[in-house]
């Protein structure tokens, strides 16, 4: 799950209005605004993390099909993307809504992914998705536990390796990447007890 985290916390926060936008509903101006937002949000975490958003590109790896976007008087305030896909766990094909491209504008850090998830949950239910799914690097485990684990929105799992593809093919690099990550599961249409067991997840595509 591409996620930007900044230590900055605002003393006061303007009103944020959330909306759900399908990818086909976004125009060039929307992509340009989102690309700038991601460069500004991911840039403080490292210049490399902002590189995918050069020009008007508003996605990093896989392209989302649905977005929850928060706006305030200054423009885009926060973002969460969704992409339906099948992943494979222990030989079991499982439909999930991968959640990623989560970012909050640095001056609004503290808004919380839980706000975006409350906007996305009705869409997940309408789409008949059994689970929301995402991954984060181990360094963000405590952060995600505070945001979604303690609120009962999701279960965090460790000791799992995820196989994905790179967004592009490079002549000097394997097209497959294998990561030891924290898996974040949001039960929607099924109980967490129905999540398949396994220590390896095949994403069979690039991370959202």
């Amino acid at each position: 799950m591409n996620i930007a985290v900044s230590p900055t916390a605002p003393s006061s926060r303007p009103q944020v209005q959330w909306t759900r936008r399908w990818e086909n509903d976004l125009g060039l101006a929307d992509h340009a605004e989102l690309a700038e937002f991601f460069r500004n949000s991911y840039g403080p975490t490292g210049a490399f993390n902002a590189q995918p958003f050069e020009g008007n590109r508003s996605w990093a790896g896989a392209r989302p099909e649905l977005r929850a976007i928060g706006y305030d008087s200054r423009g885009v305030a926060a973002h969460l993307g969704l992409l339906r896909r099948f992943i494979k766990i222990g030989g079991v094909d499982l439909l999930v809504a991968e959640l990623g491209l989560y970012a909050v504008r640095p001056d609004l850090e503290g808004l919380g992914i839980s706000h975006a998830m409350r906007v996305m949950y009705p869409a997940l239910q309408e789409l008949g998705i059994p689970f929301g799914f995402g991954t984060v690097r181990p360094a963000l485990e405590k952060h995600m536990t505070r945001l979604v684990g303690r609120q009962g929105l999701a279960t965090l799992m460790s000791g799992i390796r995820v196989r994905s593809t790179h967004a592009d093919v490079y002549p000097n690099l394997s097209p497959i990447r294998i990561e030891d990550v924290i898996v974040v599961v949001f039960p929607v249409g099924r109980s967490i007890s129905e999540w398949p067991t396994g220590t390896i997840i095949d994403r069979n595509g690039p991370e959202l």
Side-chain angles (χ1 to χ4, degrees):
M1 179 187 292
N2 287 299
I3 178 172
V5 178
S6 166
T8 305
S11 56
S12 61
R13 182 180 301 135
Q15 184 67 33
V16 174
Q17 300 293 329
W18 287 91
T19 182
R20 294 200 303 265
R21 303 284 301 277
W22 288 98
E23 199 70 359
N24 280 355
D25 295 332
L26 296 176
L28 180 59
D30 296 310
H31 287 291
E33 184 180 25
L34 287 167
E36 181 180 13
F37 162 76
F38 284 125
R39 287 194 298 271
N40 293 336
S41 298
Y42 284 84
T45 68
F48 177 81
N49 295 325
Q51 286 180 3
F53 308 104
E54 294 294 332
N56 296 329
R57 179 178 165 128
S58 64
W59 62 95
R63 187 167 174 172
E65 58 178 324
L66 181 64
R67 302 170 185 253
I69 309 174
Y71 294 93
D72 65 7
S73 60
R74 293 180 52 189
V76 178
H79 179 281
L80 178 67
L82 177 154
L83 175 65
R84 285 172 288 184
R85 71 193 317 165
F86 279 92
I87 59 175
K88 188 180 290 290
I89 310 174
V92 177
D93 284 317
L94 181 67
L95 173 65
V96 298
E98 180 163 0
L99 301 165
L101 278 181
Y102 169 65
V104 174
R105 205 172 61 221
D107 65 293
L108 293 176
E109 185 57 45
L111 189 66
I113 193 173
S114 59
H115 293 266
M117 280 306 302
R118 290 190 182 97
V119 177
M120 274 298 197
Y121 251 107
L124 291 170
Q125 293 169 332
E126 292 165 10
L127 294 171
I129 300 297
F131 298 101
F133 160 80
T135 60
V136 298
R137 60 187 187 273
L140 291 175
E141 182 175 9
K142 290 183 178 179
H143 180 76
M144 291 301 292
T145 297
R146 177 173 56 83
L147 290 179
V148 296
R150 292 177 185 170
Q151 300 186 42
L153 291 174
T155 296
L156 277 65
M157 305 177 183
S158 58
I160 298 176
R161 306 179 80 191
V162 177
R163 286 195 293 239
S164 310
T165 65
H166 290 282
D168 299 296
V169 177
Y170 305 95
N172 60 342
L173 188 67
S174 169
I176 306 300
R177 54 188 287 189
I178 301 176
E179 300 175 287
D180 292 305
V181 292
I182 302 298
V183 172
V184 186
V185 179
F186 299 83
V188 182
R190 296 189 195 173
S191 164
I192 191 63
S193 64
E194 298 181 73
W195 181 263
T197 58
T199 57
I200 296 180
I201 295 177
D202 281 298
R203 188 182 258 123
N204 285 315
E207 177 185 8
L208 178 61

